[in-house]
Amino acid sequence: MVVLCAYLVTCAGVARAQSLTITSAPNAVGSGARALGMGGAFIAVADDATAASWNPGGLTQLERPEISFVYDFARFSESVRSGSHPELNTDEDLSLDGVNYLSVAYPFPWTLGGRNFVLSLNYQRKYDFDRAFDLRYSDLAALTGGNIAAIRARIRYRQEGQLSALSPAFGIELTETLSVGAVLNLWDQSIIPSNEWTIRTEERRFAWVNNRFLPRSRTVLRVTEKYRDFSGTNLTLGAFYRPDDRWSFGLVYHTPFTAEVDYSREVGVFNAGAGAGSTLESRRKKIDFPWAIGVGAAWRHPNDRLIFSADITYRAWDRFIVRDPRNPLLARRKVSGVTGLDPDEAEVDGTWTARAGMEYLFINDRKPKQNLLPSIRAGLFYDPEPASHRKDRWYGLDSGTGQPDHYFGLTLGAGVLIGDRVNLDFAYIYRWGRDARRDTFALPDTDIDVDRHQFYASTVIYF
């Protein structure tokens, strides 16, 4: 009996020490079926209401009042592959849908000097947190006397939620060729109640000694983490320059900001040998969101029948920091929002995104008025995700170089303008990454293949 109790104590310690940690950063969401059908290369095009998201300097191209609505559907697939823990191998699928963008825009053509001035009010979903895993995990520990203890667990992980912004915007012409604009992004949950996210983890553990199951070791651990009352504000600043009928250029800057959020963590534990218990803690956290800057160029056919566009954007993900000043368990009380580690422990670099796209309008030159004006679009992009890029070592993972994970994508789109009043647009996006997301589990020889399919549908009504 004394030996068995010692085994139980040892196994319980191993279970606590070897519990699998899962980290997950939010997914950035693009705006608008037309822009995304062109691969998201829209900084130098920006000629619809989603310009408030891509480049508010382009808002001055709107000539009529309009309202717009965008809806999207996404399906994610994550294939986990592990050489060190093959029991983790799994294929996870997750689907979600929701409102992507809403806007009302009104141009004022009779301003000082006759320059076009446009005001708009926009709702834009910026980040999704949805992710899910159903995993099996095991680990071994050597005990005295040549005995072997095994910890086996089943882990269900579910993260869900979103961050959106209510964004009043304006654009104004400074000259006939140069326009500027600005957007005030309000992230306050009192304005957008859905601005919150939740992480739920359930872990069922069992201990074995020399292949003998220990019934009293059965443990169920449930952890619920909630992030609520999110509040923050930042700006999107843009410039749009069109020197002639063929070329246009764009510049956009998203300012960094610090948001505050209420964090709570509830832990419930049941152990067959020790009974049940629970704890609840809550505190206020701060999250530093990174700045980003992008430039773009576009070329148009003289009658606007054909558009080619290209963008490059840099986002400073090394500035994505979660600050937890009231957490006594964190020595420096800050962690990377990407890795969940101290920023000095695992480096994270910023990312460079490159996008290219085209749009073709089927203009009938024999008709002075186009009752139906169809269009097609296509695009390509390189859209890396921030990561520590830690490599395998004999002792586990090294501190990493901070290089991002590589992701690529292609897009297809189509639209039709009906009676010069209603515009319908559709887009399909396929985005993939291979041997990525090693930071999710932080285990040697463990990574994830990611496939993401998205469908966007939008309508614009002109008045």
Side-chain angles (χ1 to χ4, degrees):
M1 179 62 70
V2 174
V3 173
L4 178 59
C5 290
Y7 282 168
L8 287 172
V9 172
T10 303
C11 289
V14 172
R16 285 192 297 270
Q18 302 299 325
S19 180
L20 184 65
T21 299
I22 301 174
T23 62
S24 181
N27 297 308
V29 179
S31 300
R34 179 165 173 254
L36 293 169
M38 298 176 66
F42 213 62
I43 293 176
V45 179
D47 56 359
D48 63 26
T50 62
S53 174
W54 301 99
N55 180 4
L59 282 171
T60 57
Q61 299 176 91
L62 275 61
E63 299 178 347
R64 294 180 290 174
E66 65 177 62
I67 60 174
S68 64
F69 172 81
V70 185
Y71 198 85
D72 69 345
F73 170 83
R75 183 173 180 82
F76 303 86
S77 175
E78 294 190 83
S79 298
V80 181
R81 296 295 178 263
S82 177
S84 60
H85 288 272
E87 73 279 3
L88 287 175
N89 292 352
T90 186
D91 296 312
E92 297 289 342
D93 293 315
L94 179 67
S95 299
L96 60 143
D97 62 286
V99 176
N100 171 261
Y101 203 89
L102 288 170
S103 71
V104 178
Y106 191 88
F108 296 85
W110 302 286
T111 58
L112 183 64
R115 304 299 183 196
N116 199 17
F117 176 71
V118 178
L119 288 176
S120 72
L121 182 63
N122 311 270
Y123 163 86
Q124 44 188 330
R125 196 169 83 250
K126 292 283 196 177
Y127 296 102
D128 280 329
F129 289 86
D130 290 75
R131 207 170 180 194
F133 290 105
D134 189 347
L135 306 163
R136 297 187 184 276
Y137 177 73
S138 62
D139 215 334
L140 301 176
L143 304 179
T144 58
N147 298 294
I148 301 296
I151 301 301
R152 299 173 185 173
R154 182 175 183 180
I155 302 170
R156 290 188 175 97
Y157 175 92
R158 183 70 168 97
Q159 178 176 273
E160 55 188 344
Q162 66 177 44
L163 283 179
S164 304
L166 184 67
S167 306
F170 77 89
I172 185 170
E173 286 183 339
L174 298 183
T175 69
E176 292 183 356
T177 59
L178 178 63
S179 302
V180 296
V183 184
L184 177 64
N185 298 302
L186 305 172
W187 302 82
D188 201 312
Q189 191 176 6
S190 62
I191 301 174
I192 304 177
S194 60
N195 268 11
E196 61 182 28
W197 65 100
T198 302
I199 303 171
R200 293 182 175 88
T201 307
E202 180 185 273
E203 184 172 348
R204 296 176 178 269
R205 307 175 188 167
F206 305 88
W208 301 67
V209 175
N210 298 332
N211 286 325
R212 180 183 177 186
F213 173 59
L214 304 180
R216 293 172 64 84
S217 70
R218 185 169 66 89
T219 302
V220 179
L221 173 67
R222 293 186 177 95
V223 181
T224 301
E225 299 173 88
K226 295 183 179 181
Y227 294 80
R228 292 178 171 174
D229 196 20
F230 186 92
S231 62
T233 304
N234 82 312
L235 295 173
T236 300
L237 308 174
F240 184 84
Y241 178 60
R242 190 169 181 176
D244 54 41
D245 291 338
R246 295 199 177 190
W247 286 98
S248 60
F249 304 91
L251 173 67
V252 64
Y253 176 67
H254 305 272
T255 64
F257 70 102
T258 298
E260 294 191 356
V261 62
D262 283 336
Y263 169 78
S264 66
R265 185 173 188 266
E266 183 177 4
V267 180
V269 180
F270 169 79
N271 180 266
S278 64
T279 61
L280 176 64
E281 58 176 317
S282 62
R283 53 189 178 271
R284 193 76 168 162
K285 288 187 177 185
K286 294 184 177 181
I287 305 177
D288 296 338
F289 282 81
W291 58 268
I293 188 169
V295 295
W299 180 89
R300 291 171 170 81
H301 189 274
N303 66 357
D304 285 342
R305 186 189 301 269
L306 178 65
I307 301 175
F308 290 103
S309 60
D311 292 353
I312 296 177
T313 301
Y314 176 79
R315 193 172 297 273
W317 285 109
D318 58 314
R319 307 293 181 90
F320 184 33
I321 303 296
V322 180
R323 303 181 185 275
D324 197 353
R326 293 173 56 193
N327 187 353
L329 301 179
L330 292 177
R332 303 196 181 192
R333 298 180 181 176
K334 66 177 182 178
V335 296
S336 165
V338 176
T339 65
L341 300 173
D342 189 292
D344 297 329
E345 202 174 317
E347 186 176 353
V348 174
D349 292 342
T351 58
W352 290 92
T353 298
R355 302 177 180 271
M358 59 79 63
E359 177 183 62
Y360 183 81
L361 304 180
F362 292 90
I363 299 174
N364 190 338
D365 295 325
R366 293 175 294 180
K367 292 184 177 181
K369 183 178 180 180
Q370 309 289 316
N371 292 322
L372 288 176
L373 181 57
S375 58
I376 57 172
R377 305 173 189 101
L380 299 169
F381 59 83
Y382 168 65
D383 182 27
E385 285 188 1
S388 65
H389 203 71
R390 287 180 281 176
K391 293 186 179 296
D392 296 335
R393 294 292 185 267
W394 66 269
Y395 53 82
L397 298 178
D398 65 11
S399 59
T401 63
Q403 297 178 21
D405 290 334
H406 301 297
Y407 283 76
F408 303 88
L410 58 86
T411 68
L412 296 173
V416 60
L417 176 61
I418 305 172
D420 203 34
R421 285 292 182 184
V422 178
N423 205 66
L424 301 176
D425 292 303
F426 304 92
Y428 164 72
I429 302 173
Y430 174 48
R431 180 175 181 267
W432 70 91
R434 297 293 178 262
D435 303 328
R437 295 186 174 175
R438 172 165 287 202
D439 291 311
T440 297
F441 304 112
L443 294 171
D445 196 20
T446 303
D447 48 46
I448 300 175
D449 291 342
V450 181
D451 293 278
R452 178 176 177 177
H453 301 270
Q454 288 182 279
F455 300 89
Y456 288 79
S458 68
T459 181
V460 179
I461 301 175
Y462 303 98
F463 297 94

